[in-house]
Amino acid sequence: MMPTLVNEFNEYRERMNEVILSKKNLVMKRLWNLDTNAYEEGALDKKTKEMLGLVASLVLRCDDCIKYHLGKSFELGVSTEAVYEIFAIANIVGGTIVIPHTRRAAEYWEELQKIV
Amino acid sequence: MMPTLVNEFNEYRERMNEVILSKKNLVMKRLWNLDTNAYEEGALDKKTKEMLGLVASLVLRCDDCIKYHLGKSFELGVSTEAVYEIFAIANIVGGTIVIPHTRRAAEYWEELQKIV
Amino acid sequence: MMPTLVNEFNEYRERMNEVILSKKNLVMKRLWNLDTNAYEEGALDKKTKEMLGLVASLVLRCDDCIKYHLGKSFELGVSTEAVYEIFAIANIVGGTIVIPHTRRAAEYWEELQKIV
Amino acid sequence: MMPTLVNEFNEYRERMNEVILSKKNLVMKRLWNLDTNAYEEGALDKKTKEMLGLVASLVLRCDDCIKYHLGKSFELGVSTEAVYEIFAIANIVGGTIVIPHTRRAAEYWEELQKIV
Amino acid sequence: MMPTLVNEFNEYRERMNEVILSKKNLVMKRLWNLDTNAYEEGALDKKTKEMLGLVASLVLRCDDCIKYHLGKSFELGVSTEAVYEIFAIANIVGGTIVIPHTRRAAEYWEELQKIV
Amino acid sequence: MMPTLVNEFNEYRERMNEVILSKKNLVMKRLWNLDTNAYEEGALDKKTKEMLGLVASLVLRCDDCIKYHLGKSFELGVSTEAVYEIFAIANIVGGTIVIPHTRRAAEYWEELQKIV
């Protein structure tokens, strides 16, 4: 079962993605495909790439991007200890303005643990 | 009739602008006048200037600024196709961290179409 | 009595800080201590330092950081006129994308005045 | 004849683009193609799109991106008056931190006028 | 006598400001006047306001803005100890990405001490 | 032997770090220690952490931070293919404004290969 916070995020995301894609803007569509490609197995494995996406989203303070990469990291079995080391690097590199996003990330990570 | 999302944005905006102006800080007041001047007809027409304001707001990821310029673009008759080309440029220049703001922009743009 | 907006902010903040600290990541813990140290009396007094923290939070558009420093500035007796001069500098340096954050800051500052 | 500043920018840009493309990273290659597509004629004409790219580059304070879009705007016949209206919008939206980039942009725009 | 680094900064700044103002864009001209007004004596004194401008410039990582406010802070007699407390707050709020700008700021501050 | 670009970066960095530390600001000193701690072996190994630092520096467009983490990644044996996958993720997440920094990163990475 999906916890509320995770459900709400996924549902809004999917609903609005459909609206955007329905307008048939080719650049948007291709950018999204490219976004998927960037995280595929290569010299670096998927898990590492999701962690790279997570830390980049944290320092850029993009809550929805953080949630997305936390969800993927959870699926790929990244440990809580590893996630908090990523939080730490993001807070050192990006400063205390990353803290409010870390709070919301921590909350979302707790919610993800409830998925059964 | 104004759809809820558009109404809520306008009402909060007006209410807080009044609070701010009531404090009689001259620099704030003049900056706001200047902000209005910047989008007035000149070598470039109003429509182009609103589109410039929109793309700038998108890449700077300022949801309220995006809503404001979407509202103005709607009034000035910018087409949905043009709006999505602006979204595309913003997402290419600013990267996938612009996507969550594009989702909220797409939602607001749909709401604006309901104004009668 | 604490007004709702102030209460909500403080409660969420404290609850999530506990979650984060419970994971015992040493870098996070030390960064938070350092954050406290940075605002302690030195060559500059506490009041000046809180105002520095406020303007930095405003231009970086971090709503929760703004609320935190507004709360501290209120406790230390910064006047409304001074707060609005800080708002003005932030809006000049950071541009009109700071306005939406200034609206929320103005709202929070009004709420703080209701504390008795 | 190309003025020095314009030449230097173009030469470094081309030389490093070759290095990057020589590594055959497919995501990088496709993103660059997409970047080209985003500025092609559509609902909006090329000139408008270059101006959108320029204002986005200005508020994001990316000197090389600014130079690139100034070069394209010059080729497409954007007037000095229009360029300065774009500068003005960028400075209002992005604040006085855009001024140093506007200085370098103004210098580059003067250089472009010397092309014969 | 002005040290080289300070001279170079001031000369380029003045030269390009003249180019920009020569184009007679009214919004640019007024924004610059407003920029001057924002740092004038008010509820807060000039020294405090320059320190606010400095910390804002640091966290926004605008080297030229940092130099400008360091110059003004030097003229107004801000102590080295105070300047480094401002550096510290900027580095805590903005993270280690502020360090390279702090290095250049430290270098410029040393140069300013040589003015006789 | 160190190539010029690498030498220049290291020398300026060390020289200015000494100036900064000589002022004995405790918060600065502790933040730098913490910065070192954040990249030490933990749940994640050093190599992964340097790659996280690299991608964070890229999306935040901090050239000196990028150089630092490229240097560390080179020492720890990160492959060119892996480095370019990190470049790709940074360019997708952060957009085309990351390209100019990727050019300088690519140049520095080539220089690092010349170290013998």
Side-chain angles (χ1 to χ4, degrees):
Chain A
M1 222 193 63
M2 279 285 173
T4 324
L5 207 62
V6 180
N7 253 340
E8 272 172 14
F9 170 67
N10 286 334
E11 274 167 24
Y12 179 77
R13 193 175 165 275
E14 272 162 47
R15 188 154 46 85
M16 294 320 302
N17 282 4
E18 265 175 51
V19 173
I20 292 172
L21 290 174
S22 77
K23 309 300 180 185
K24 303 195 181 304
N25 182 291
L26 222 65
V27 175
M28 288 300 292
K29 190 174 176 299
R30 282 182 188 156
L31 180 61
W32 289 11
N33 288 338
L34 211 45
D35 186 27
T36 307
N37 295 346
Y39 296 97
E40 270 161 21
E41 185 94 16
L44 298 171
D45 59 31
K46 281 187 169 187
K47 207 166 160 172
T48 304
K49 287 189 164 183
E50 282 304 327
M51 294 192 293
L52 293 170
L54 177 57
V55 83
S57 301
L58 277 159
V59 296
L60 289 173
R61 302 159 59 204
C62 175
D63 286 330
D64 285 5
C65 315
I66 294 169
K67 283 178 181 167
Y68 177 80
H69 289 294
L70 281 175
K72 287 284 180 191
S73 297
F74 178 74
E75 286 173 26
L76 293 166
V78 179
S79 73
T80 295
E81 210 182 335
V83 162
Y84 273 77
E85 291 186 6
I86 297 169
F87 288 176
I89 287 178
N91 278 268
I92 288 292
V93 175
T96 56
I97 48 166
V98 180
I99 296 179
H101 305 271
T102 308
R103 281 191 201 110
R104 291 189 280 274
E107 184 183 26
Y108 196 78
W109 186 250
E110 295 299 305
E111 290 293 293
L112 285 164
Q113 314 305 316
K114 296 176 191 161
I115 293 177
V116 287
Chain B
M1 221 192 64
M2 280 284 172
T4 324
L5 209 60
V6 180
N7 253 340
E8 271 173 15
F9 170 66
N10 287 334
E11 275 167 24
Y12 179 76
R13 194 175 164 274
E14 273 162 48
R15 187 153 47 83
M16 295 320 302
N17 282 4
E18 266 175 51
V19 173
I20 292 172
L21 290 175
S22 77
K23 308 300 181 187
K24 303 193 182 304
N25 181 290
L26 221 66
V27 174
M28 288 300 291
K29 192 175 175 297
R30 282 182 188 157
L31 181 62
W32 289 11
N33 288 338
L34 211 44
D35 186 27
T36 307
N37 295 347
Y39 295 97
E40 270 161 22
E41 186 93 15
L44 298 171
D45 59 30
K46 280 187 168 187
K47 206 166 161 173
T48 304
K49 286 191 165 182
E50 281 305 325
M51 294 193 293
L52 292 170
L54 177 57
V55 83
S57 302
L58 277 159
V59 296
L60 289 173
R61 302 158 59 203
C62 175
D63 286 329
D64 285 5
C65 315
I66 294 168
K67 283 178 181 168
Y68 177 80
H69 289 294
L70 280 175
K72 288 283 179 190
S73 298
F74 179 74
E75 286 173 26
L76 294 165
V78 179
S79 73
T80 295
E81 210 183 337
V83 162
Y84 273 78
E85 291 186 4
I86 297 169
F87 288 176
I89 288 178
N91 278 268
I92 287 293
V93 175
T96 57
I97 48 166
V98 179
I99 295 179
H101 305 271
T102 307
R103 281 191 202 110
R104 290 188 282 272
E107 185 183 26
Y108 196 77
W109 186 251
E110 295 300 304
E111 290 293 293
L112 285 165
Q113 314 304 315
K114 296 175 193 163
I115 294 177
V116 287
Chain C
M1 219 193 63
M2 279 286 173
T4 324
L5 209 62
V6 180
N7 253 340
E8 271 172 15
F9 170 67
N10 287 333
E11 275 167 24
Y12 179 76
R13 193 174 165 274
E14 273 162 48
R15 187 153 48 84
M16 294 320 302
N17 282 5
E18 266 175 52
V19 172
I20 292 172
L21 290 175
S22 77
K23 308 300 181 186
K24 303 195 180 304
N25 181 291
L26 221 65
V27 174
M28 288 300 291
K29 192 174 175 300
R30 282 182 189 158
L31 181 61
W32 288 11
N33 288 339
L34 211 45
D35 186 27
T36 307
N37 294 347
Y39 295 97
E40 271 162 21
E41 185 95 14
L44 298 170
D45 59 30
K46 279 186 169 187
K47 208 165 160 174
T48 304
K49 287 190 165 184
E50 281 304 326
M51 293 192 293
L52 293 169
L54 177 56
V55 84
S57 302
L58 277 159
V59 296
L60 289 172
R61 302 158 60 202
C62 175
D63 286 329
D64 286 5
C65 315
I66 294 169
K67 284 177 181 169
Y68 177 80
H69 288 294
L70 281 175
K72 287 283 178 191
S73 298
F74 178 74
E75 286 174 27
L76 294 166
V78 179
S79 73
T80 295
E81 210 183 337
V83 162
Y84 273 78
E85 290 186 5
I86 297 169
F87 288 175
I89 289 178
N91 278 268
I92 288 293
V93 174
T96 56
I97 48 166
V98 179
I99 296 179
H101 305 272
T102 307
R103 282 192 200 109
R104 291 189 280 274
E107 184 183 27
Y108 197 78
W109 185 250
E110 295 299 303
E111 290 293 294
L112 285 165
Q113 315 304 317
K114 297 176 192 162
I115 293 177
V116 288
Chain D
M1 220 193 64
M2 280 285 173
T4 324
L5 209 61
V6 180
N7 253 340
E8 271 172 15
F9 170 67
N10 287 333
E11 274 167 24
Y12 180 77
R13 191 174 167 275
E14 272 162 47
R15 189 154 46 84
M16 295 320 301
N17 283 3
E18 265 175 50
V19 173
I20 292 172
L21 289 174
S22 77
K23 308 301 180 186
K24 303 194 181 305
N25 181 292
L26 222 65
V27 174
M28 288 300 290
K29 192 174 175 299
R30 282 181 188 158
L31 180 62
W32 289 11
N33 288 338
L34 211 44
D35 187 26
T36 306
N37 295 346
Y39 296 97
E40 270 161 22
E41 186 93 17
L44 298 171
D45 59 31
K46 280 187 169 186
K47 207 167 161 173
T48 304
K49 286 189 166 185
E50 281 305 326
M51 295 192 292
L52 293 170
L54 177 57
V55 83
S57 302
L58 277 159
V59 296
L60 289 173
R61 302 159 57 204
C62 175
D63 286 329
D64 285 5
C65 314
I66 294 168
K67 284 177 181 168
Y68 178 80
H69 289 294
L70 281 175
K72 287 284 179 190
S73 298
F74 178 74
E75 285 173 27
L76 294 166
V78 179
S79 73
T80 295
E81 210 183 337
V83 162
Y84 273 77
E85 291 186 4
I86 297 169
F87 287 177
I89 288 178
N91 277 268
I92 288 292
V93 175
T96 57
I97 49 166
V98 179
I99 296 179
H101 305 272
T102 307
R103 282 192 201 109
R104 291 189 281 273
E107 184 183 27
Y108 197 78
W109 186 251
E110 295 300 303
E111 289 294 293
L112 284 165
Q113 314 303 317
K114 297 175 190 162
I115 293 176
V116 287
Chain E
M1 220 192 63
M2 280 284 173
T4 323
L5 209 62
V6 180
N7 253 340
E8 271 172 15
F9 170 66
N10 287 334
E11 275 167 23
Y12 180 76
R13 192 174 166 276
E14 274 161 47
R15 188 154 47 84
M16 294 321 302
N17 282 3
E18 265 175 52
V19 173
I20 293 172
L21 289 175
S22 78
K23 308 301 180 185
K24 304 195 181 304
N25 181 291
L26 221 67
V27 174
M28 288 300 291
K29 192 175 174 300
R30 283 182 187 157
L31 180 62
W32 289 11
N33 288 339
L34 211 45
D35 187 27
T36 307
N37 294 346
Y39 296 97
E40 270 160 22
E41 185 94 15
L44 298 171
D45 59 30
K46 278 186 170 188
K47 207 167 161 173
T48 304
K49 286 189 165 184
E50 281 305 325
M51 293 193 292
L52 292 170
L54 177 57
V55 83
S57 301
L58 277 160
V59 295
L60 289 173
R61 301 159 59 204
C62 176
D63 285 330
D64 285 5
C65 315
I66 294 168
K67 283 178 181 167
Y68 177 80
H69 289 295
L70 280 175
K72 287 283 178 191
S73 298
F74 178 74
E75 286 173 26
L76 294 166
V78 179
S79 73
T80 296
E81 210 183 337
V83 162
Y84 273 78
E85 291 186 5
I86 297 168
F87 287 176
I89 288 178
N91 278 268
I92 288 292
V93 174
T96 56
I97 48 166
V98 179
I99 295 179
H101 305 272
T102 307
R103 281 191 201 110
R104 291 189 280 274
E107 185 183 26
Y108 197 78
W109 186 251
E110 295 300 303
E111 289 294 293
L112 284 165
Q113 315 304 317
K114 296 175 192 162
I115 293 177
V116 286
Chain F
M1 220 193 65
M2 279 284 172
T4 323
L5 208 62
V6 180
N7 253 340
E8 272 172 15
F9 170 66
N10 287 333
E11 274 166 25
Y12 179 77
R13 193 176 164 274
E14 272 162 48
R15 188 154 47 84
M16 295 320 302
N17 283 3
E18 266 175 51
V19 173
I20 292 172
L21 290 175
S22 77
K23 308 300 181 188
K24 303 196 182 304
N25 181 292
L26 222 66
V27 174
M28 288 300 291
K29 192 175 175 296
R30 282 182 189 157
L31 180 62
W32 289 11
N33 288 338
L34 210 46
D35 186 27
T36 308
N37 294 347
Y39 295 97
E40 270 162 21
E41 185 94 16
L44 298 170
D45 60 30
K46 280 186 169 189
K47 206 167 162 173
T48 304
K49 286 189 166 184
E50 281 305 326
M51 294 193 292
L52 292 170
L54 177 57
V55 84
S57 302
L58 278 159
V59 295
L60 289 173
R61 302 159 57 204
C62 175
D63 285 330
D64 285 4
C65 315
I66 294 169
K67 283 178 181 167
Y68 178 80
H69 289 294
L70 280 175
K72 287 284 178 188
S73 297
F74 178 74
E75 286 173 27
L76 294 166
V78 179
S79 73
T80 295
E81 211 183 336
V83 162
Y84 273 78
E85 291 186 3
I86 297 168
F87 288 176
I89 287 177
N91 277 268
I92 288 292
V93 174
T96 57
I97 49 166
V98 179
I99 295 179
H101 305 271
T102 307
R103 282 191 200 108
R104 292 189 279 274
E107 185 184 26
Y108 197 78
W109 186 251
E110 295 300 303
E111 290 294 292
L112 285 165
Q113 316 303 316
K114 296 174 191 161
I115 293 176
V116 287

